Each structure stands twice: as C-alpha cells, then as structure tokens.
C-alpha cells in the first residue's frame, strides 16, 4: 500500500525536486548556501496561484508547467509564446476567441517565470537609468513592459502568472526580445506596507506653488512638497544623452485654490525616470523636496525634483497645507505673460488649419511602418508616434494593442498620401498602454523595420511637418520597392545620414529640403513645446500638402506614356482636313503609319521624378534606366552637343526631375479615305516604342555601394571604383564607329556544324596610342615600348555578343582604355579569335565579353598631340553636285520630318514570302547645317533593313550628326542619302519641347535669280498674270484610276475601293515687277487661287465628279483655251470665264517653295532669246527662264492704311 502511494506521488516529488534545483540555480549565486525558506516560499507562491482557479483543485501542483530562466528564454525560445498559470483552458479559449475569427493568437506554453523586477541592469551605472524595466535572475536580464507599475515592486522577487515573450524579429532593428507582463505580478515574499509619515506632510497645492514660483525672492521656502491631481504628463524626452519629463499638477477641488490653477514639475534625476511609468493622469500625487530651476532656452523658472525627492500617492490624512506669509498671499495675482510664437502666418490665411487636441482610446489594427512610427487605429485613423520619443513602448505596439492617447492632435485632410485622418502626438501629450496584444507579431516587410534612425532624422534634424513627413515615408517606401533588395540592401538604403557619409535615401528623396520645408514651420524646442501656452508644436497648425512629386516605377511611367500617346492619337489631327480630303488611301495610311508624342516632365501632375540604375544592355547595345519593375531605353546628353562617353556611370543611380518621355507610335491601318478617319476598327495593329531623353546637367548621379542589379554582370564590373586587381590595358583613339546591326562573321573550322546566324555587332576603327600597360596597385604601370614602325598602329576592334554594351559610349576623336582583366598574357591585344583581313588595318581584334572599357584621361596621353573633337563634315559642293555618286558623306543636320515610306527603287527589297510586296523604310528630311549658309538646303535620307528600327532620338526638331552615309543620285537627278553598315549617328541635341516657326522671309522674285544662297521657302507680293492650266480629277482612293461618277474605271473590276477623292491643280503665271514665275497650286490652294469660297469650290468639285476629269490649257494672253472636255459644257465655260476674270487675275501675297530643290542636280536651264516689239523697233534679248514655284499658301494682300485723321483735318 505504501509502495503504491509513493509511486502515485512520484510526479509531484519529481516536479518539486526540479523546482528546488531550478530555484537554487537561478536565485542564489554559485557556492552560496541556498535559503530553504525562500525556496519553499517560491513553491508556496506557485501553489497559491495555481489553486486560485477552481478547475485546478484536483492537482495541488502545476505538474504540466516547468520553470524557465531568462537565459533559456533568450537562447531557446525562438517563437513568440504566452503563459497563463492562473488561467483555465476555458478562460484561455475565450481569450483566444476574443481576437476575432481567423486571428493568429500567441501559442500557450506551460512555463513558470521567476525574477526580480528592476529598473537598472547590473552592468550599467545609475546615471544611465532611462526608466526601462527588466526582469532579472542569476542567468541574465530581460527587458519587460507592464500595464501599471507600483514603485514598491522594484527590487523584489516576483512570480509572473501571466506573461508573453516576443523574441527579436530577424529584420528588426529594435534589439533583443522582451517580456509583456499581463497581470499583476505575485510577490514571493510579502511586500512591506508603508505605515505613512508620523506627522502630516506640509504641502503646497498648485495655486500656492505658482505664487511661490513667481515671488520666490519674497518668500523662500526650502524644498517644499507639492501636491495635486496629475492633469498632464509629457513624453519622456532625451536630449544630449539627458532624459527628463514634465508632470503638470492641478487642483484637487476648487476649495484648494483658483479653478484651473496648474503647476509644472520637471523630473530629470536618472533614478526617477521610472516615475514616468507610475504616473497616471487623473490620480493625485505628492512630490517631495522640490526646488526651483531655470529651463534652458525657455527663460522661465519651473519646479524640479532633487535626488532625495519622493513620489507618493496623495492621501488626505497624510498631508496638510503649508502656511505662507499673509502679505505674500495678498500679492498681485495677475497671470504671467506667456511666450507665444511670433511668426506671422497672415500670408497663408485661409490655407492654415488648426488641429484639434483630444483624448482617444483605441486599438491598433495595422502596422503601417514600424520604423517610421506609423500605425492604424480602429481601421479608421492613422497614428503617428514619430514626433514623440517612444522608447520601450514601441516594441509592444502591434495589432491588438489597446492604447490611451492623451492630448493628441487630430489632423484631417493633411495630404501627402494620407487618405485618412491622423492622430499625432507631440511632446506635450502622452501614450498609455491599456492592454497588450494577444496576437502573434507578423513578419513585417524589410522597409517597415529598417531606417528608424533615418526617420528620426527627418523629424528632428530636417524639421519636417507632419504632412511632409507622411509624404516622405510614403515616397521612401516607393523608392525601396524600386531598388531593394537587388540594387542595394534595405539597411544600406535606409541608413542614417552623417557628416561625410550622406544618406542615399535622403539624397534621392530630396537633394534640397529648402524648397519643400515651409518657412513658417516652427523650430522644435522641447521645453517650449511642453510648457508654452498657448500650445505651439509642429501639429498645432498645418496646411494640406499637395504632393511635391512621386517616383513612379519605370514600367508604370512607360505605361502612362503609352496610355497618353494612344489617347492623343487622332488621325484627323495628324492629317488636317484640307490636305487629307485629297489623299488616296495609300497616302493616308502611310502618313499615319508613324507618329510621335513628346511628354515633357512638366505635364505630369504630380510631378514625376525618374529614378533607376543606368545599365548598358548586352542584347540591344543601348543605355537603359532600370528598376525592379523593368527597364526603359534612355538617351542622356552631357550638354547640347556631347554624348555620354564615360562607362564609369554604368551601375550608378540616376535621379532626373527634368526629362522628356518620348513615345513613337506605329500603326497599320486601312482607311479608304479621309471620311473614315474616325472609324477605329480600321486600325489593324498598334505598337509603341517608349524611351527617355534627358541632360546629365539635370540629373543627380550617385554611385551605389555595390552594384548587384540584374544578371548582366559584365555591365556592372566597370562601375566598381577599384577596377580589376590584376590585368592589363591599352589606350586607343577612335577614328570611326560603324553601325550597330546584325552581321555575319566567319566561324573557325570545327566550331559548329550549324550555319552561323547574324550576330548583333559593330566595328570601331582607331589607333593604338601606346603599348600594353599592366596593373600596378590602383593604377597602371608604364606602357611597353613599341618599335618605330608599330607606333600609332591602326586597329579594328570588333564588338559582338555581350560586348555590344559598349556601343553607347564609343565616339570618334576620343581616347579609351581597353581593359583585359585576369593574369597577364603575352600579345593579348595583338591576336584575335576571328581575324579579318581589312584593307589598311594592320591589327584586328575581337573584344571578349569579359573585357571592360574606360574613358582615357589627359594624364594617360601626355605625349599625344591635342585631339580635335570636331566632327567630320563633307563640303556642300560635294554633297549637292552630280559628281561623287555612291560616295560616303558626313554632315550635321536638323531633322525636319520623318515618315514611313517605300524606299527609292534602287533600295527596294522584295520579301521572300511575297514577291509582290516591298519592305517599307524610313524617310528623314533634314536641313543641312553649313557654315555661312543662311538658308540651309534640304536633303532626304532613307533608312532600310537591317538598320530598322532607327536608333532612338531621330525625331523632327533634333540635331543629328550623320557619319559616312552613302550619297546617291536618283534618275530624276535628286541627291539623297541612305544608311550603310559604315554609317554612325550621333544625336547632338533633342527636339525642343515647343518650337515657334520662324516667319518666312519676304523677298522679290529677282532675288532668286541672283545665285548664291537663296531661301528654299519665302513669301512675295505679286500679281497673277495668267492661268496656264487647270485640272480637276476624281480618282479612285485605292488605285488612283479616273473615277467618273465616283466609280473606279479599271477594266478588270478588281479594285476593292468604293471611294473616290478629288484632286485639283492649277499653274499660274505671276510677276512682281522684278521677275516672273510659274506657280503650281494643288487641291485646296486651287480654290483660293480661283477666289472661290468653300461652298462654291465644293459645288465645282461635285460638277466635276460626273466626267471624272476636267482639264483646261491656256496658251497665253489673247490665245484660245484648249480643253480636254467639251468646250460648251457648263463647267468648262464657267472655269474658262473665271480664269480670265479679275477675280483670279489679281494681286496676292504668295508663300512658296522652290520647285527645284537644292538637292536637285539637274543642269540649270540656260537663258533663251526672245523677241520684243518696242513701237516700230524690234528687240532681241536674252531672257532668264521662268522661276518654278510651288504654292504653300495664298492670301489676299493687305490694303494700305487710310490717311491719318490729323492730315485730313489740315
């Protein structure tokens, strides 16, 4: 029977033995005799707490529970947990269900925690006491938080029946884990009860304390005691490693003094910082042994505690009023003048709003940004704690925490990205913990837990107001999403800014805060913010913030650009109706096939700021801005004529506020005529090319600590400041760069059985400037000596595959260094895997993908003559002559227009799958830039495969240098140029955002006969002498056949078009008294020339629809008219009469273009002999050929002004 009893009680004995062993190890120092009475007191305390629940009456000991030390919690408990010794299973289940459906509550662990509650870890000096609380045993110390503190608890051993432990988050910057002590701790030994003072304590209530503070010299009271009800508790402030807080006491009742009398007390003794956890607004206290001090910077006196001061709960029976001098009591009670903010805000009257100060009880429902101190309350309000120095309390704030906010500011419609009202605490208010959260802490994204010191800097050093701070937090989140973690780590991006080590995030967010921070924002001073009446803090007055700018992802920006481009795509706007009404279907669709839209940065609201990493694409050979969303091609220029040439910028962060977002649109449409331009279903295909143009002067370029972005490692190697540690290099001067295109290269025997495919590549020709140099430390050693014959040896460098990433940096007349990393090898720069026999080139080298490129410096080439940066230019006589056909020419020009077209006959290529189809090309019309040429000639440039699509930046209005274009002469003797594999293009300046067209010069016609530089387009005042010819046609919009009655006249009846368009032309003879010219007018200009109104011209066209063609020829003055139509037809009679009437033969103002363009190299027509009769005297003289002009517009001449009224009166 005894054996059975012993066996039955063996679990309790084992538990007791384990408990005694644990208590001895954790509560008593090693080698010290344990206090058996204390051990038994601990066990009794556990029993009493355990049995306090009725459900636990069956077991006298919590056999399922085990003791845990502080060290074991810190080292072994890696997951959040809670322990509730006195709770039953039903109680815990009800507690868990209170978190809501689907909530993840803290898991329950059966652990017993013992420890001493202290406010100073053993390894710190008393001066370092900060008001933090800790639980200590022999194994270590662990920070803790509790709901309410009694000063008598400090230094005593407790059993903690309800607690939770939260280990440190892996990403958190808030340090080690901590304890949350839910219930009132149970003392192991009874706490000593203070019997109270033997005699009542003399105290001053706030009204008398305020008098004594004001008249301190008249009635000196040594270290008085102050009593009252706590009406306000400030935040715990830390400045210059000193901590303090200010408590404000008010009268208990009106009987103790004037209603509303208050007195403030500053507490700044280190061991009294824990009082901040004890004080609760609404309760009455006594603070003993106070003195008067003067606050720094506030210039006023205030009560303060001394090292011997005590904090005692106020009990009326233990205190008495301190009697003061009667004369002192009758002193003037005029209130002291309060300092106020003297800054004038009248200029913003109507914009400035006042916040509301209130008390609020609420539950945290979300963590918006832990590091920035932003949370969501009750799913309706944003809570901002950034303007208070919340120390240990911030670690317990998570969803489920219940908070009381006292003297908190309510700000509504603050802007800056905050869509909900904001509750913001300043130093004047305080936050009180009402209950802990029962939820497990969620794993927060990295941007929410990094950067606490950076956000603190925004508030305390940059002095950001709340609207601007909220915008900064939101924007830093956008930036982190764009760059982290692949460009750089969150901790690198969100680091604190220090002298000599500026924060990358702050530099990107705002290079200068002066433009963003309001000049009326008050500079924060802690004493003033807490004590000043009326209250003045950053939240007291605010203005709604209009978002300064945003940082869209590059993908979103490209999508926005495409959306705007297609929203603005209007065929009727691209083709003005007077011109479009006479176009055939092919002309219409060709003009609509390509268009572009330039979106300057100023059109985006709010303003958009570009941010990305500058990378060089190994697949396209172009520069790109890249972030985590994607990449967008870009074209940076260092100034108005120089491209980007330094490869060290690869891998740098680029921030651009002023830029151009260019969208090139290509459509494939089948509009039959201008009448159907509004039918969107006739557009079969739409595609767009988006890229960015900006000047480096408008960009902020910042290196990143280590470029780890993307998978193209070679493009980031060159951005490393230190470069390769081992390797060799060689300097070369670029003389020419060929086009980037797909080429065929020879394959070494046995390399592959498959036929080679065209590879994207380009070739650079240049000259070696010196011998090979080897790496020596951080620089390059002296070059190897070269023979006399090898000096300035010509070289051809072939870049193919990944090496095409260097294409955007290589330009003629510049020196570069070709760097080969790795161990030195002999003749590395003299051999090639694919040697090519090139005429005039002694060395040919294929650049491996591992090699890098650097821009040469002036120190690298001290013995080389100054290198001319002038771009090669062909003389005008070479360009515009009928000689030198099929030669290569170079020139700079401004692009006037760009369209998709069929290339000239000599350039046409038949598609292999469609013998009847011709590949389209691109036609650029440019104005040549020539010195001493007032009127630049125009020239056409054709681009076809494999140079399509053209490189970015070739837009109307852009200035471009074309190198080694092939000059050709058409069968009609027109000079034009076309791209060849040797052609290279350099954009000199971007197309202007807005360009005002200069008015055409006004000239006399004789000026066009004087030779030299004459305008290609001009205006003149002249008289229409004769109508030479007139023709009106109705043609098929598809095949251009004559269409009587609007029906196509083709014999095979296979024309799919059912639409006809009108086309008209007239040739006029005009003279201005100096010369005569023939003028060709087309379409809507014909109506103007004939002096017909739009309705009259429409009637004429409708009459001409019947025959389909009306043509009149006029032989000369007094001669008869020839007509292709019957002369007696009403329309022919009308037109013949009209053309001879004064309504046509009248003075006009003519804007014209020369029919014979400067690029037309047809030999000039010689002067002819012509007979004149002067009375009876016949004359024979040479007459210059008539000028041939094309009408741009016709206007009625301006009538001379009437004489002045004063002249008439005289």
């Amino acid at each position: 029977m005894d054996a059975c009893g012993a066996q039955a009680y063996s679990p309790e004995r084992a538990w007791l033995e384990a408990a005694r062993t644990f208590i001895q190890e954790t509560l008593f120092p090693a080698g010290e005799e344990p206090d058996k009475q204390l051990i038994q007191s601990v066990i009794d305390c556990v029993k009493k707490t355990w049995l306090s629940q009725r459900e636990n009456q069956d077991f006298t000991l919590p056999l399922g529970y085990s003791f845990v030390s502080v060290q074991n919690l810190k080292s072994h408990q890696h997951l959040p947990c809670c322990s509730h010794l006195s709770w039953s299973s039903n109680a815990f289940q009800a507690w868990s269900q209170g978190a809501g459906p689907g909530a993840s509550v803290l898991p329950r662990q059966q652990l017993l925690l013992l420890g001493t509650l202290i406010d100073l870890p053993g390894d710190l000096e008393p001066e370092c006491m900060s008001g933090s609380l800790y639980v200590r045993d022999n194994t270590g110390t662990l920070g803790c938080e509790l709901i309410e503190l009694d000063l008598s608890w400090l230094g005593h051993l407790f059993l903690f029946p309800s607690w939770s432990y939260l280990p440190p988050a892996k990403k958190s910057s808030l340090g080690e884990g901590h304890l949350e002590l839910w219930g009132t701790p149970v003392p192991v030994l009874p706490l000593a009860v203070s019997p109270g003072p033997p005699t009542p304590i003399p105290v001053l209530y706030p009204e008398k304390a305020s008098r004594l503070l004001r008249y301190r010299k008249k009635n000196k009271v040594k270290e008085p005691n102050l009593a009252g009800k706590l009406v306000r508790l400030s935040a715990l402030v830390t400045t210059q490693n000193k901590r303090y807080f200010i408590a404000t006491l008010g009268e208990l009742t009106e009987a103790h003094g004037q209603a509303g009398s208050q007195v403030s007390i500053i507490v700044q003794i280190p061991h009294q910082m824990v009082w901040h956890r004890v004080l609760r607004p609404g309760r009455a206290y006594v603070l003993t042994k106070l003195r008067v001090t003067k606050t720094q910077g506030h210039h006023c006196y205030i009560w303060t505690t001394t090292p011997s001061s005590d904090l005692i709960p106020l009990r009326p029976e233990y205190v008495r009023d301190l009697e003061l001098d009667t004369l002192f009591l009758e002193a003037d009670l005029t209130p002291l003048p309060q300092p106020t903010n003297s800054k004038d805000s009248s200029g913003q009257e109507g914009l400035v709003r006042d916040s509301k100060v209130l008390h609020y009880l609420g539950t945290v429902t979300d963590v918006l940004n832990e590091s920035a101190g932003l949370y969501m309350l009750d799913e309706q309000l944003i809570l901002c704690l950034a303007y208070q120095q919340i120390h240990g309390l911030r670690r317990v704030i998570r969803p489920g925490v219940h908070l009381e906010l006292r003297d908190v500011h309510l700000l509504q419609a603050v802007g800056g990205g905050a869509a909900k009202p904001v509750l913001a605490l300043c130093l004047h208010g305080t936050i009180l913990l009402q209950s802990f959260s029962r939820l497990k802490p969620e794993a927060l994204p990295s941007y929410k837990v990094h950067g606490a010191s950076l956000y603190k800097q925004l508030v305390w050093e940059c002095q950001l107001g709340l609207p601007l701070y909220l915008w900064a937090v939101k924007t830093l989140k956008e930036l982190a999403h764009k760059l982290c973690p692949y460009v750089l780590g969150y901790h690198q991006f969100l680091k604190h800014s220090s002298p000599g080590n500026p924060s990358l995030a702050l530099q990107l967010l705002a290079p200068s805060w002066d433009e963003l921070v309001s000049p009326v924002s008050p500079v924060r001073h802690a004493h003033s913010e807490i004590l000043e009446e009326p209250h003045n803090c950053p939240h007291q007055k605010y203005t709604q913030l209009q978002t300064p700018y945003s940082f869209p992802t590059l993908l979103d920006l490209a999508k926005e650009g495409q959306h705007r481009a297609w929203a603005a795509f209007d065929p009727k706007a691209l083709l003005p109706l007077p011109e479009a009404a006479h176009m055939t279907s092919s002309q219409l669709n060709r003009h609509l096939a390509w268009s572009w839209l330039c979106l300057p940065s100023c059109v985006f609201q709010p303003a958009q700021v570009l941010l990305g990493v500058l990378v060089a694409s190994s697949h396209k050979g172009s520069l790109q801005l890249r972030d985590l969303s994607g990449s967008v091609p870009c074209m940076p220029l260092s100034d108005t004529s120089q491209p980007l040439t330094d490869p060290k910028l690869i891998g740098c962060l680029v921030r651009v506020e002023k830029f151009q977002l260019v969208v090139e649109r290509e459509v494939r449409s089948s509009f039959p005529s201008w009448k159907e331009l509004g039918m969107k279903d006739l557009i079969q295909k739409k595609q767009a090319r988006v890229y960015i143009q900006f000047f480096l002067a408008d960009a902020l370029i910042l290196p990143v600590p280590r470029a780890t972005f993307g998978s193209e490692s070679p493009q980031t190697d060159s951005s490393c400041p230190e470069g390769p540690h081992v390797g060799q290099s060689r300097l070369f001067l670029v003389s020419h760069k060929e086009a980037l295109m797909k080429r065929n290269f020879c394959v070494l025997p046995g390399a592959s059985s498959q036929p080679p495919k065209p590879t994207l590549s380009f070739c650079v020709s240049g000259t070696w400037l010196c011998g090979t140099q080897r790496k020596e430390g951080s620089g390059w050693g002296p070059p190897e000596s070269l023979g006399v014959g090898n000096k300035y040896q010509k070289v051809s460098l072939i870049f193919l595959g990944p090496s095409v990433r260097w294409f955007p940096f290589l330009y003629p007349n510049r020196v570069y260094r070709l760097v080969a990393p790795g161990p030195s090898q002999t003749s590395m720069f003299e051999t090639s895997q694919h040697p090519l026999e090139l005429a005039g080139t002694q060395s040919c080298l294929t650049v491996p993908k591992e090699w890098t490129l650097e821009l040469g410096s002036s120190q690298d080439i001290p013995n080389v003559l100054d290198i001319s940066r002038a771009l090669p230019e062909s003389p005008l006589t070479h360009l515009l002559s009928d000689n030198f056909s099929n030669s290569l020419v170079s020139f700079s020009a401004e692009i006037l227009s760009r369209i998709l077209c069929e290339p000239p006959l000599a350039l046409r290529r038949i598609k292999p799958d469609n013998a009847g189809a011709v590949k389209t090309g691109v036609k650029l019309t440019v104005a040549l830039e020539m010195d001493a040429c007032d009127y630049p000639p125009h020239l056409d440039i054709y681009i076809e495969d494999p140079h399509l699509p053209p490189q970015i930046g070739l837009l109307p209005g852009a200035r471009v240098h074309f190198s080694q274009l092939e000059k050709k002469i058409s069968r009609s003797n027109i000079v034009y140029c076309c791209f060849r594999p040797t052609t290279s293009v350099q954009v000199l300046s971007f197309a202007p955002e807005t360009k005002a067209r200069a008015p055409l010069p006004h000239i006399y016609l004789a000026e066009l006969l004087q030779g030299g530089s004459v305008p290609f387009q001009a205006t003149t005042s002249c008289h229409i002498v004769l109508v030479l010819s007139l023709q009106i046609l109705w043609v098929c919009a598809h095949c251009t056949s004559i269409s009587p009655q609007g029906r196509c006249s083709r014999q095979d009846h296979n024309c799919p078009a059912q639409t006809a368009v009108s086309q008209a032309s007239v040739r006029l003879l005009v003279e201005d008294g100096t010369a005569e010219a023939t003028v060709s007018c087309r379409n809507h200009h014909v109506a103007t020339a004939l002096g017909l109104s739009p309705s009259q011209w429409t009637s004429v066209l409708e009459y001409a629809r019947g025959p389909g063609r009306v043509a009149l020829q006029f032989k000369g003055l007094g001669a008869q008219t020839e007509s292709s139509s019957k002369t007696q037809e009403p329309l022919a009679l009308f037109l013949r009469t009209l053309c001879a009437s004064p309504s046509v033969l009248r003075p006009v103002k003519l804007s014209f273009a020369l029919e014979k363009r400067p690029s037309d190299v047809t030999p000039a027509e010689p002067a002819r002999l012509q007979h004149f009769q002067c009375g009876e005297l016949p004359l024979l003289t040479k007459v210059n050929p008539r000028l041939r002009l094309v009408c741009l517009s016709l206007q009625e001449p301006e009538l001379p002004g009437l004489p002045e009224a004063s002249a008439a009166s005289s």
Side-chain angles (χ1 to χ4, degrees), residues 106-121:
L106 291 165
R108 186 178 186 181
Q109 299 290 337
Q110 295 181 327
L111 298 174
L112 299 174
L113 181 64
L114 285 171
T116 303
L117 193 62
I118 59 174
D119 61 346
L120 178 68

Side-chain angles (χ1 to χ4, degrees), residues 104-246:
S104 179
V105 299
L106 291 165
R108 186 178 186 181
Q109 299 290 337
Q110 295 181 327
L111 298 174
L112 299 174
L113 181 64
L114 285 171
T116 303
L117 193 62
I118 59 174
D119 61 346
L120 178 68
D123 55 347
L124 295 180
E125 298 294 331
E127 290 76 13
C128 299
M129 300 177 75
S130 62
S132 300
L133 294 177
Y134 306 88
V135 172
R136 182 187 66 194
D137 62 14
N138 283 351
T139 65
T141 303
L142 188 59
C144 67
E145 298 290 335
L146 43 72
I147 304 297
E148 193 168 347
L149 174 67
D150 191 319
L151 287 177
S152 63
W153 295 352
L154 295 177
H156 290 274
L157 179 65
F158 286 93
L159 170 70
F160 302 101
S162 295
W163 53 273
S164 55
Y165 172 69
L166 282 85
K170 294 181 180 180
K171 300 178 182 178
S172 176
S173 58
L174 301 180
E176 61 180 9
H178 69 279
L179 288 167
E180 296 175 352
L181 306 180
W182 285 74
T184 302
V186 180
V188 174
L189 300 176
L191 300 178
V193 179
S194 175
T199 59
I201 301 174
V203 298
L204 291 174
Y205 288 98
E207 189 266 337
K208 289 184 179 180
S210 297
R211 294 188 189 211
L212 184 60
L213 186 64
R214 184 172 184 180
Y215 300 101
R216 56 194 174 278
K217 295 182 179 179
K218 295 182 180 180
N219 195 329
K220 296 184 177 180
V221 179
K222 185 178 181 180
E223 294 186 345
N225 308 313
L226 265 62
K229 182 171 66 176
L230 184 67
V231 295
R232 187 180 304 114
L233 181 65
S234 78
L236 184 60
V237 182
T238 302
T239 57
Q240 299 177 353
N241 295 326
K242 294 183 179 180
R243 298 175 177 87
Y244 66 91
F245 65 90
I246 296 176

Side-chain angles (χ1 to χ4, degrees), residues 1103-1152:
Y1103 276 110
R1105 182 191 290 268
R1109 180 175 183 269
V1110 176
L1112 301 176
Q1113 294 288 336
F1114 299 87
K1115 286 296 184 179
L1117 292 174
Q1120 293 185 353
T1121 303
E1122 293 183 1
S1123 176
S1124 62
S1125 305
K1126 296 180 181 180
T1127 58
Q1128 298 304 317
E1129 286 185 354
L1131 180 59
L1133 288 173
F1134 169 75
L1135 292 176
R1136 184 171 63 250
T1137 305
L1138 178 64
C1139 291
S1141 67
S1143 62
V1144 176
L1145 307 179
R1146 68 192 188 279
V1148 294
K1149 184 178 180 181
L1150 173 68
S1151 297
F1152 64 87

Side-chain angles (χ1 to χ4, degrees), residues 232 269 350 354 439 452 507 686 710 763 776 807 976 1015 1038 1043 1151:
R232 187 180 304 114
I269 307 301
D354 292 322
L439 301 177
Q507 292 181 81
K686 297 193 301 184
C763 183
E776 292 184 0
F807 181 81
Y976 65 93
H1038 179 73
S1043 299
S1151 297

Side-chain angles (χ1 to χ4, degrees), residues 880-1053:
L880 304 180
S881 68
D882 55 358
N883 299 324
F884 313 107
S885 180
N886 300 326
S887 62
L888 299 179
V889 294
S890 302
F891 53 83
S892 298
E894 178 186 349
I895 299 178
L896 301 178
S897 66
R898 170 178 167 178
I899 61 172
L900 294 184
C901 66
E902 294 181 359
L905 186 61
L907 299 177
R908 298 190 182 187
R909 301 290 185 269
I910 303 301
K911 294 181 181 180
D913 56 344
N914 189 352
V918 179
K919 288 188 176 180
T920 60
V922 173
K923 174 187 174 183
L924 302 178
T925 300
V926 301
L928 302 179
E929 293 184 356
M930 297 294 174
D931 295 336
C933 184
D934 297 331
Y935 306 106
H938 296 183
L939 196 66
D940 291 336
I941 301 175
Y942 292 89
I943 309 173
E944 63 162 359
D945 276 339
H947 303 281
L948 294 177
Q951 77 170 56
I952 60 176
L954 299 185
L955 302 172
R959 293 178 55 249
V960 182
H961 181 266
F962 299 93
S963 179
Q964 296 197 9
L965 290 169
E966 185 180 11
K967 170 188 171 184
K968 285 185 171 292
I969 301 176
S970 68
R971 288 184 292 184
S972 56
N973 291 321
I974 303 296
V975 175
Y976 65 93
C977 294
C978 56
F979 272 49
R980 285 294 175 257
T982 57
T983 302
S984 63
V985 176
Q986 176 180 335
V987 177
L988 302 178
S989 66
F990 302 135
E993 295 178 4
T994 57
K995 184 178 180 180
R997 298 188 62 179
L1000 297 177
H1002 192 279
I1003 66 171
Y1004 293 105
L1005 293 178
E1007 297 179 39
L1008 301 177
L1009 301 172
Q1010 295 175 358
S1013 178
V1014 296
F1016 176 63
Q1017 295 178 343
T1019 62
T1020 188
S1021 297
C1022 59
H1023 192 282
I1024 301 178
V1025 178
L1026 178 67
V1027 177
L1028 297 177
S1029 65
L1030 173 64
Q1031 180 175 254
I1032 301 176
L1033 301 176
W1034 281 90
V1035 298
C1036 175
H1038 179 73
C1039 66
T1040 69
S1041 300
I1042 300 296
S1043 299
Q1045 302 297 330
R1047 292 188 294 270
C1048 182
S1049 60
R1050 283 181 59 172
Q1051 300 295 328
D1052 53 9
H1053 303 289

